[in-house]
């Protein structure tokens, strides 16, 4: 299992787990589940070029971002991921609750599953809301570690690189 495959597994897992949620978008008449992205949020549409810019596409969102991998070369392989959560709420006093609700939902789903693809949940799950929020936009982060099978290079087809 490599880090790209694990990222894709997490995106699919969170997409499925969050599909039943209904959260506010920038368009007050539209509610939807968070859109889950890998790596970074897509570039915003350019209205000047005739591309439709729908406000409800922006929020809510979840971004799964690979941070690092630690392979001790003896079969132990740990990957760390950061998950960024963005929600929208005009409620300046209670808007943070939607963001925390999404993160709690993801945390409970991970703990219940124990595994995502071949990755075993390990270490800690850390959740945090940013101290300063750009209301009505609310953001938080979650960090999670997975123990994964170590990737072994199969040299049987390519030959031994050290054999001159």
């Amino acid at each position: 299992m490599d880090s790209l495959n694990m990222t894709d597994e997490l995106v699919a897992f969170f997409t499925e787990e969050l599909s039943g949620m209904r959260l506010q978008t920038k368009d007050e008449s539209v509610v939807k589940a968070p859109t889950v992205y890998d790596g970074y949020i897509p570039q915003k549409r350019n209205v000047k070029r005739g591309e439709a810019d729908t406000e409800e596409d922006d929020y809510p969102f979840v971004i799964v971002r690979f941070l690092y991998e630690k392979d001790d070369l003896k079969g132990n392989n740990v990957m760390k991921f950061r998950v960024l959560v963005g929600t929208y709420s005009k409620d300046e006093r209670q808007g943070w609750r939607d963001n925390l609700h999404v993160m709690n939902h993801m945390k409970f789903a991970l703990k219940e599953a124990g595994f995502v693809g071949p990755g075993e949940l390990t270490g800690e799950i850390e959740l945090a809301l940013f101290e300063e929020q750009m209301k009505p936009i609310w953001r938080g982060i979650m960090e999670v570690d997975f123990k994964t099978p170590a990737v072994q290079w199969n040299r049987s087809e390519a030959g031994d690189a050290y054999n001159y």
Side-chain angles (χ1 to χ4, degrees):
M1 171 62 49
D2 66 34
S3 50
L4 289 172
N5 291 337
M6 191 62 197
T7 301
D8 293 341
E9 291 280 353
L10 281 168
V11 168
F13 178 80
F14 288 138
T15 299
E16 176 66 27
E17 289 297 327
L18 299 175
S19 65
M21 295 187 88
R22 295 294 171 251
L23 298 167
Q24 186 64 55
T25 65
K26 287 183 176 180
D27 180 342
E28 291 184 15
S29 65
V30 177
V31 292
K32 68 174 195 145
T35 305
V36 183
Y37 301 103
D38 62 329
Y40 297 86
I41 202 160
Q43 185 174 355
K44 203 160 169 63
R45 293 185 177 101
N46 189 335
V47 179
K48 291 180 183 176
R49 288 188 290 193
E51 297 173 346
D53 183 22
T54 54
E55 289 287 313
E56 66 270 8
D57 288 345
D58 295 343
Y59 289 87
F61 66 81
V62 170
I63 301 171
V64 177
R65 191 171 291 166
F66 170 78
L67 288 182
Y68 70 83
E69 180 174 358
K70 187 175 182 179
D71 187 341
D72 70 5
L73 305 179
K74 294 182 177 26
N76 294 319
N77 199 57
V78 176
M79 295 182 193
K80 180 177 272 302
F81 290 86
R82 177 170 290 150
V83 181
L84 295 103
V85 176
T87 57
Y88 182 87
S89 174
K90 288 186 177 179
D91 186 342
E92 291 194 15
R93 194 169 116 42
Q94 299 293 322
W96 59 274
R97 290 177 169 272
D98 286 343
N99 200 283
L100 191 56
H101 179 61
V102 172
M103 289 194 294
N104 280 333
H105 192 89
M106 291 189 304
K107 178 181 81 169
F108 297 145
L110 285 170
K111 288 175 76 172
E112 183 177 342
F115 284 83
V116 175
E120 179 184 4
L121 186 63
T122 185
E124 300 173 336
I125 299 175
E126 297 179 41
L127 308 177
L129 290 173
F130 294 123
E131 189 68 26
E132 298 295 323
Q133 297 284 348
M134 300 182 307
K135 302 167 193 161
I137 296 166
W138 303 86
R139 295 198 177 159
I141 60 171
M142 177 174 151
E143 289 188 2
V144 61
D145 298 340
F146 289 93
K147 182 178 179 184
T148 61
V151 176
Q152 300 297 321
W153 184 261
N154 182 356
R155 296 186 184 178
S156 61
E157 293 179 27
D160 189 351
Y162 302 107
N163 187 4
Y164 297 103

